[in-house]
Amino acid sequence: MGYKDIYENWKSDPDGFWMQQADAIDWDKAPSKALFDKGDDLYEWFADGLTNTCWNAVDRHVEAGRGGQVAIIHDSPITGTLHKITYADLRNRVARLAGALRAKGIEKGDRVIIYMPMVPEALEAMLACARLGAIHSVVFGGFAANELAVRIDDAKPKAIIAASCGLEPGRVVHYKPLLDGAIDLATHKPDFTVIFQREQEVAHLDEGRDFDWHGFQYGVEPAECVPVEGNHPAYILYTSGTTGAPKGVIRHTGGHLVALNWSMKNIYNVDPGDVFWAASDVGWVVGHSYICYAPLIHGNTTIVFEGKPVGTPDAGTFWRVIADHKVRSFFTAPTAFRAVKRDDPKGEFVGKYDISCLNAIYLAGERADPDTIEWAMKVSGKPVYDHWWQTETGWTIAGMPAGIEALPVKIGSPSVPMPGYDVQILDEAGQPMQPGELGAIAIKLPLPPGTLPTLWNAEDRFRKSYLSHFPGYYETGDAGMIDVDGYLYIMARTDDVINVAGHRLSTGGMEEVLAGHPDVAECAVVGVTDQLKGQLPMGFVCLTKGVDRPHDEIVKECVKLVRDKIGPVAAFKLCAVVDRLPKTRSGKILRATIVKIADSEAFKPPATIDDPAILDEIKIALQAMGYAKG
């Protein structure tokens, strides 16, 4: 059966389709049906079933005789270490950790915050919580103390599991002082913390509150898996909210298991036993879905990578890891490839490694510009599939169903909607638009299994953020179009569609043009306020390594390119060469923050910012163009 048949199968009988996918999961008690409509646009999946995530991700593979297969490969170029853990080892380690947590009072429904770097113990902590039915909330390791405190006060964890430190190229990030600071700031205090001591830094433990990872597990009874309802929250993952207060995205257990398991073969085209690598971090949704849960649920070997695309030690790291571990499907963010391309524009490092094991490269996290995709395809010789999803959805909204059939790639499109997602383009009044017209991307309710049912303790905010604008739909916050073949194009966040003298233009489209300039490694376009035209586009470009031409020449060429490809209507005249762009740690460019600086408005740098110093560099560039006067 091809993609169209499968998508139609889902559309004609959604309940039957998802009940069939649920057969691939072990249930203590099978659900009576797939969808539970709670009324008023709230839905749950497999709500009356009983199951356990940890059982499905670990124990069942051991029971099926595959305990000797490697479950986790930890590859850390930063520490120069390599460590492999089999499914049988993983079961023992997770059962013991869960037993130790239970002995300290952690039970089903309790929250546990996890604040860890990219080490296997981070996954073990997540799985140990799932084993007990405790709800984990992973906070990106090294997050500022006040941001961690906000999450402690929202989730009210009984325990916090942390590491003594994280490691960046050339520096140690001290986690324990940040954790201590956060607990001091928070109104809610955890009963205890568990600290995984790394040899690069041994942290001070406060007697009575802090317990050593190994010490507190000594002599405990290992814990069995606790069956939980299909609608029991597996975890809370905070995503930055527009109001500054983080939004706690919830993931229900049953739908999470079913959807992620389906995605591994149908989207990423791997079979149990294959090595799958998502180069992300456990602090992000990609790390939850595709470093920890999906590969293990599906019986794959997953890679936990502690390093960077460049500098650990060079721009060949990705290819080295793929060759060393025989990776079959590789998933990363476009920004990572832009960094590799900037350091190795000709792709000379690829030739040093045998990457014949690799089937395809998957990109997600922000818009993948055609230039980056074409470069990655050229140097790797592999198909490169852009796909689109969100923290809220937990898995692909639109992508390439490579395990069903490899459809033609249209560069600039994440391809087609996955079963479960009825994606529509709406105008401001909520009316469907014609193929090829730019509008708001919305998904007809209900959302499929594995997506957010609501926000943690914030149903009103859930409605306001996602449901109220287009009744009967989930509002994605992205703008785009669908072509005549049903391929989706994500052009920009809805607030990145700018209005220049009455013309609605996509900043993403302009970025695409700038990225095509041979000297440009990376770029961003934002809309700044203009008295005459309402908004004007402004571009920032970072140059490829080794380019030493005069900047004003390059800027002139960039302005001409946009004028030629998009037209004078874009009114693109403002452009600056900068060393680097302000980004979050997951690689998203902070466009809204740049706009606020340009328009001299007050702003608060987001907690997820990678290096706040870049904002000062951007301000200087803005002032040179006559902006950021305040």
Side-chain angles (χ1 to χ4, degrees):
M1 264 206 308
Y3 158 76
K4 277 203 166 78
D5 302 327
I6 288 176
Y7 191 79
E8 280 312 314
N9 267 5
W10 157 69
K11 240 180 163 170
S12 60
D13 180 12
D15 224 74
F17 178 87
W18 288 117
M19 283 301 274
Q20 195 183 342
Q21 310 319 319
D23 287 346
I25 296 303
D26 282 5
W27 299 89
D28 293 83
K29 173 179 162 251
S32 63
K33 58 179 183 171
L35 184 68
F36 289 73
D37 183 345
K38 299 179 69 187
D40 210 11
D41 284 343
L42 293 183
Y43 299 90
E44 291 178 350
W45 291 92
F46 312 112
D48 65 355
L50 285 175
T51 184
N52 181 280
T53 297
C54 185
W55 171 272
N56 277 285
V58 185
D59 301 61
R60 70 167 170 161
H61 305 307
V62 181
E63 297 292 320
R66 306 212 353 255
Q69 183 198 314
V70 174
I72 298 172
I73 298 171
H74 184 228
D75 186 313
S76 171
I78 293 185
T79 59
T81 54
L82 179 66
H83 180 201
K84 296 183 178 181
I85 300 168
T86 65
Y87 272 101
D89 291 341
L90 184 61
R91 179 176 69 172
N92 297 342
R93 291 165 70 130
V94 170
R96 193 167 57 239
L97 177 58
L101 290 170
R102 188 181 56 191
K104 287 247 173 292
I106 300 294
E107 292 169 10
K108 178 186 167 189
D110 288 338
R111 273 82 61 211
V112 176
I113 280 183
I114 298 171
Y115 186 65
M116 300 278 270
M118 285 298 288
V119 291
E121 287 78 7
L123 276 61
E124 290 167 15
M126 294 162 79
L127 291 161
C129 290
R131 195 173 189 86
L132 298 173
I135 303 165
H136 69 66
S137 185
V138 180
V139 177
F140 185 89
F143 235 33
N146 59 310
E147 292 299 329
L148 179 53
V150 168
R151 288 153 175 77
I152 292 171
D153 281 337
D154 194 69
K156 301 190 169 37
K158 199 181 261 192
I160 299 178
I161 302 175
S164 57
C165 67
L167 303 170
E168 295 278 329
R171 71 187 180 108
V172 173
V173 184
H174 316 288
Y175 284 8
K176 186 60 168 48
L178 292 167
L179 175 63
D180 292 342
I183 294 172
D184 286 347
L185 286 169
T187 314
H188 172 87
K189 309 292 180 195
D191 293 358
F192 66 98
T193 78
V194 180
I195 306 297
F196 174 65
Q197 299 278 23
R198 302 191 72 183
E199 59 187 57
Q200 290 77 15
E201 174 170 284
V202 176
H204 167 76
L205 300 185
D206 291 350
E207 200 163 329
R209 185 195 75 186
D210 303 334
F211 294 88
D212 173 76
W213 172 279
H214 293 292
F216 104 121
Q217 297 187 47
Y218 187 74
V220 300
E221 183 72 27
E224 289 305 317
C225 296
V226 175
V228 300
E229 298 76 15
N231 62 357
H232 180 71
Y235 67 75
I236 304 164
L237 179 56
Y238 288 97
T239 176
S240 44
T242 41
T243 59
K247 296 188 287 207
V249 169
I250 302 176
R251 203 76 70 210
H252 279 176
T253 300
H256 180 236
L257 284 166
V258 173
L260 291 188
N261 184 68
W262 184 89
S263 73
M264 287 304 287
K265 177 61 188 168
N266 292 284
I267 298 170
Y268 301 104
N269 198 18
V270 287
D271 296 312
D274 287 338
V275 180
F276 179 83
W277 180 25
S280 180
D281 188 283
V282 286
W284 313 128
V285 70
V286 174
H288 284 63
S289 292
Y290 292 104
I291 297 174
C292 182
Y293 289 114
L296 296 176
I297 293 162
H298 193 246
N300 291 100
T301 297
T302 187
I303 295 179
V304 175
F305 171 74
E306 188 180 38
K308 294 272 186 264
V310 295
T312 59
D314 53 41
T317 298
F318 278 177
W319 315 120
R320 193 255 323 149
V321 172
I322 289 165
D324 281 1
H325 306 306
K326 304 281 179 281
V327 174
R328 188 163 160 200
S329 267
F330 174 50
F331 177 173
T332 191
T335 190
F337 267 129
R338 285 197 279 267
V340 175
K341 175 176 166 237
R342 194 176 180 178
D343 265 26
D344 182 21
K346 295 196 176 80
E348 288 162 5
F349 275 105
V350 187
K352 300 181 181 182
Y353 302 99
D354 174 6
I355 61 164
S356 57
C357 54
L358 188 68
N359 279 355
I361 293 167
Y362 292 80
L363 298 178
E366 79 233 91
R367 216 163 153 267
D369 55 287
D371 201 60
T372 299
I373 292 183
E374 281 162 359
W375 177 85
M377 279 174 20
K378 192 173 90 201
V379 302
S380 70
K382 305 291 177 183
V384 176
Y385 300 135
D386 182 20
H387 65 319
W388 172 63
W389 48 293
Q390 302 177 322
T391 300
E392 287 86 352
T393 69
W395 64 288
T396 308
I397 302 169
M400 176 61 70
I404 299 169
E405 64 171 320
L407 301 170
V409 169
K410 293 193 183 190
I411 290 184
S413 165
S415 300
V416 292
M418 291 297 108
Y421 293 99
D422 182 351
V423 180
Q424 308 210 0
I425 309 294
L426 305 178
D427 64 17
E428 269 310 295
Q431 295 306 307
M433 300 186 72
Q434 294 301 312
E437 290 183 340
L438 183 67
I441 306 174
I443 301 165
K444 204 163 186 314
L445 295 174
L447 291 176
T451 56
L452 84 168
T454 184
L455 293 172
W456 180 252
N457 287 342
E459 192 184 296
D460 288 348
R461 197 167 172 206
F462 170 69
R463 292 182 182 285
K464 194 164 164 272
S465 299
Y466 305 107
L467 307 182
S468 60
H469 192 162
F470 300 118
Y473 289 87
Y474 164 86
E475 183 187 6
T476 67
D478 281 302
M481 60 157 192
I482 293 175
D483 72 9
V484 289
D485 299 322
Y487 278 63
L488 182 66
Y489 289 77
I490 317 295
M491 299 313 291
R493 293 295 291 170
T494 329
D495 41 16
D496 290 334
V497 173
I498 61 172
N499 200 319
V500 181
H503 297 279
R504 278 167 63 84
L505 296 165
S506 151
T507 53
M510 294 184 216
E511 287 177 6
E512 211 164 280
V513 172
L514 294 179
H517 187 291
D519 296 341
V520 172
E522 190 165 31
C523 62
V525 175
V526 299
V528 294
T529 304
D530 180 72
Q531 293 316 177
L532 182 65
K533 298 197 176 211
Q535 279 180 302
L536 276 180
M538 177 186 283
F540 297 88
V541 297
C542 302
L543 304 181
T544 303
K545 218 177 183 172
V547 173
D548 54 3
R549 299 171 52 218
H551 288 181
D552 55 347
E553 259 180 45
I554 293 171
V555 164
K556 268 194 196 121
E557 292 164 5
C558 286
V559 169
K560 184 176 180 313
L561 264 179
V562 174
R563 202 182 166 83
D564 292 349
K565 297 237 167 125
I566 292 178
V569 54
F572 184 80
K573 298 185 189 74
L574 301 164
C575 188
V577 174
V578 293
D579 257 351
R580 36 193 201 150
L581 296 168
K583 293 181 187 175
T584 65
R585 288 173 171 167
S586 65
K588 288 189 173 61
I589 296 166
L590 298 168
R591 294 176 179 83
T593 307
I594 297 175
V595 172
K596 284 199 163 130
I597 299 172
D599 293 346
S600 309
E601 286 178 28
F603 71 95
K604 182 180 158 220
T608 50
I609 190 165
D610 193 28
D611 181 358
I614 304 177
L615 295 178
D616 297 328
E617 298 167 19
I618 292 291
K619 190 171 185 181
I620 292 163
L622 283 163
Q623 285 167 339
M625 291 187 280
Y627 284 78
K629 295 179 181 124

